[in-house]
Amino acid sequence: MTKILLVEDELALRETLEEILELNNFEVSVAESGEEALESLQNSAPDLIVSDIMMPGITGLELIAKVHQQAQFKQIPFIFLSALASKEDQNKGIIAGAKGYITKPFKASELLALIRELLG
């Protein structure tokens, strides 16, 4: 089963996303913060990471940099799911190494299509 690490600090959205992903046959591990996500990576490497950008502590942009600094995690596809909707913000995410950037509010079908595309 494909493993997805979901990094989202907002409880309601995190629970909704977890449910959507599990209903679509993904194994989901969740993290409330960038720090928690880094700890989770040490236990089990996911096939893909979906992360918010604006979080307390380590932001999503800092998280992707830390993840990609580690050789064993460098190839994990990363999707940003963020309320930061400007083209400049989206470009920052892609330049940081994200394979996709979806703005909130979003459609579940859009997220699922991108995940499936990135995972082949």
Side-chain angles (χ1 to χ4, degrees):
M1 186 177 289
T2 303
K3 297 179 190 175
I4 296 177
L5 173 57
L6 173 62
V7 190
E8 172 60 58
D9 61 322
E10 186 183 316
L11 177 62
L13 180 55
R14 189 172 61 246
E15 289 176 342
T16 299
L17 284 165
E18 184 177 13
E19 183 177 342
I20 289 167
L21 294 170
E22 287 176 345
L23 287 172
N24 282 274
N25 299 314
F26 294 107
E27 181 180 328
V28 182
S29 55
V30 295
E32 295 180 27
S33 66
E35 293 86 354
E36 197 176 308
L38 291 172
E39 288 177 24
S40 176
L41 282 173
Q42 300 311 314
N43 298 325
S44 175
D47 298 299
L48 183 133
I49 298 171
V50 176
S51 178
D52 191 4
I53 291 179
M54 295 186 301
M55 298 181 289
I58 296 175
T59 67
L61 291 171
E62 293 167 330
L63 175 62
I64 194 172
K66 289 179 182 292
V67 169
H68 286 172
Q69 286 172 353
Q70 301 177 54
Q72 70 269 35
F73 304 132
K74 193 171 184 79
Q75 299 306 316
I76 298 173
F78 210 105
I79 297 172
F80 281 125
L81 186 61
S82 178
L84 298 173
S86 75
K87 278 292 179 201
E88 182 180 335
D89 287 318
Q90 292 177 39
N91 287 339
K92 283 181 189 175
I94 299 303
I95 289 168
K99 300 293 184 197
Y101 193 112
I102 297 176
T103 57
K104 299 174 187 174
F106 66 97
K107 292 181 180 169
S109 58
E110 179 184 11
L111 176 61
L112 292 167
L114 180 55
I115 288 171
R116 289 185 180 111
E117 177 185 327
L118 291 175
L119 294 174

